[in-house]
mmCIF file of all heavy atoms in Angstrom:
data_model
loop_
_atom_site.group_PDB
_atom_site.id
_atom_site.type_symbol
_atom_site.label_atom_id
_atom_site.label_comp_id
_atom_site.label_asym_id
_atom_site.label_seq_id
_atom_site.Cartn_x
_atom_site.Cartn_y
_atom_site.Cartn_z
ATOM 1 N N CYS A 1574 12.507 2.852 6.615
ATOM 2 C CA CYS A 1574 12.795 2.299 7.930
ATOM 3 C C CYS A 1574 11.617 2.678 8.891
ATOM 4 O O CYS A 1574 11.528 3.875 9.259
ATOM 5 C CB CYS A 1574 14.110 2.786 8.433
ATOM 6 S SG CYS A 1574 15.468 2.266 7.476
ATOM 7 N N HIS A 1575 10.804 1.736 9.168
ATOM 8 C CA HIS A 1575 9.687 2.049 10.136
ATOM 9 C C HIS A 1575 10.252 2.319 11.554
ATOM 10 O O HIS A 1575 9.546 2.879 12.388
ATOM 11 C CB HIS A 1575 8.737 0.848 10.226
ATOM 12 C CG HIS A 1575 8.008 0.688 8.949
ATOM 13 N ND1 HIS A 1575 6.611 0.572 8.903
ATOM 14 C CD2 HIS A 1575 8.353 0.540 7.621
ATOM 15 C CE1 HIS A 1575 6.136 0.360 7.685
ATOM 16 N NE2 HIS A 1575 7.221 0.358 6.874
ATOM 17 N N ASP A 1576 11.461 1.850 11.782
ATOM 18 C CA ASP A 1576 12.160 2.094 13.024
ATOM 19 C C ASP A 1576 13.620 1.723 12.800
ATOM 20 O O ASP A 1576 14.057 1.332 11.750
ATOM 21 C CB ASP A 1576 11.534 1.295 14.129
ATOM 22 C CG ASP A 1576 11.634 -0.207 13.989
ATOM 23 O OD1 ASP A 1576 12.012 -0.643 12.845
ATOM 24 O OD2 ASP A 1576 11.239 -0.958 14.864
ATOM 25 N N VAL A 1577 14.434 1.838 13.859
ATOM 26 C CA VAL A 1577 15.779 1.329 13.896
ATOM 27 C C VAL A 1577 15.645 -0.078 14.468
ATOM 28 O O VAL A 1577 15.466 -0.244 15.641
ATOM 29 C CB VAL A 1577 16.730 2.222 14.701
ATOM 30 C CG1 VAL A 1577 18.148 1.653 14.675
ATOM 31 C CG2 VAL A 1577 16.712 3.639 14.182
ATOM 32 N N VAL A 1578 15.752 -1.089 13.626
ATOM 33 C CA VAL A 1578 15.432 -2.469 14.052
ATOM 34 C C VAL A 1578 16.335 -2.934 15.143
ATOM 35 O O VAL A 1578 15.898 -3.628 16.126
ATOM 36 C CB VAL A 1578 15.448 -3.415 12.878
ATOM 37 C CG1 VAL A 1578 15.061 -4.794 13.272
ATOM 38 C CG2 VAL A 1578 14.495 -2.941 11.738
ATOM 39 N N SER A 1579 17.615 -2.651 15.022
ATOM 40 C CA SER A 1579 18.533 -3.074 16.087
ATOM 41 C C SER A 1579 18.179 -2.439 17.460
ATOM 42 O O SER A 1579 18.350 -3.121 18.527
ATOM 43 C CB SER A 1579 19.987 -2.739 15.730
ATOM 44 O OG SER A 1579 20.092 -1.310 15.413
ATOM 45 N N GLU A 1580 17.679 -1.254 17.462
ATOM 46 C CA GLU A 1580 17.243 -0.601 18.724
ATOM 47 C C GLU A 1580 15.997 -1.255 19.267
ATOM 48 O O GLU A 1580 15.806 -1.436 20.502
ATOM 49 C CB GLU A 1580 17.079 0.914 18.545
ATOM 50 C CG GLU A 1580 18.363 1.589 18.258
ATOM 51 C CD GLU A 1580 18.187 3.079 18.114
ATOM 52 O OE1 GLU A 1580 17.072 3.640 18.051
ATOM 53 O OE2 GLU A 1580 19.164 3.835 17.998
ATOM 54 N N ARG A 1581 15.110 -1.617 18.338
ATOM 55 C CA ARG A 1581 13.870 -2.347 18.809
ATOM 56 C C ARG A 1581 14.277 -3.717 19.376
ATOM 57 O O ARG A 1581 13.720 -4.098 20.428
ATOM 58 C CB ARG A 1581 12.903 -2.594 17.573
ATOM 59 C CG ARG A 1581 11.733 -3.475 17.934
ATOM 60 C CD ARG A 1581 10.594 -3.334 16.985
ATOM 61 N NE ARG A 1581 10.941 -3.260 15.627
ATOM 62 C CZ ARG A 1581 10.684 -4.193 14.714
ATOM 63 N NH1 ARG A 1581 10.024 -5.275 15.115
ATOM 64 N NH2 ARG A 1581 10.992 -4.017 13.410
ATOM 65 N N ALA A 1582 15.219 -4.401 18.759
ATOM 66 C CA ALA A 1582 15.696 -5.678 19.260
ATOM 67 C C ALA A 1582 16.242 -5.519 20.671
ATOM 68 O O ALA A 1582 15.959 -6.319 21.589
ATOM 69 C CB ALA A 1582 16.698 -6.297 18.311
ATOM 70 N N ASP A 1583 17.123 -4.526 20.846
ATOM 71 C CA ASP A 1583 17.712 -4.309 22.184
ATOM 72 C C ASP A 1583 16.634 -3.994 23.250
ATOM 73 O O ASP A 1583 16.683 -4.396 24.341
ATOM 74 C CB ASP A 1583 18.725 -3.161 22.087
ATOM 75 C CG ASP A 1583 19.991 -3.549 21.269
ATOM 76 O OD1 ASP A 1583 20.198 -4.736 21.063
ATOM 77 O OD2 ASP A 1583 20.710 -2.618 20.829
ATOM 78 N N SER A 1584 15.637 -3.140 22.812
ATOM 79 C CA SER A 1584 14.556 -2.791 23.695
ATOM 80 C C SER A 1584 13.815 -4.044 24.114
ATOM 81 O O SER A 1584 13.444 -4.178 25.306
ATOM 82 C CB SER A 1584 13.613 -1.752 23.069
ATOM 83 O OG SER A 1584 12.473 -1.542 23.856
#
Side-chain angles (χ1 to χ4, degrees):
C1574 297
H1575 293 232
D1576 62 355
V1577 182
V1578 181
S1579 55
E1580 293 181 353
R1581 172 160 44 112
D1583 291 342
S1584 174

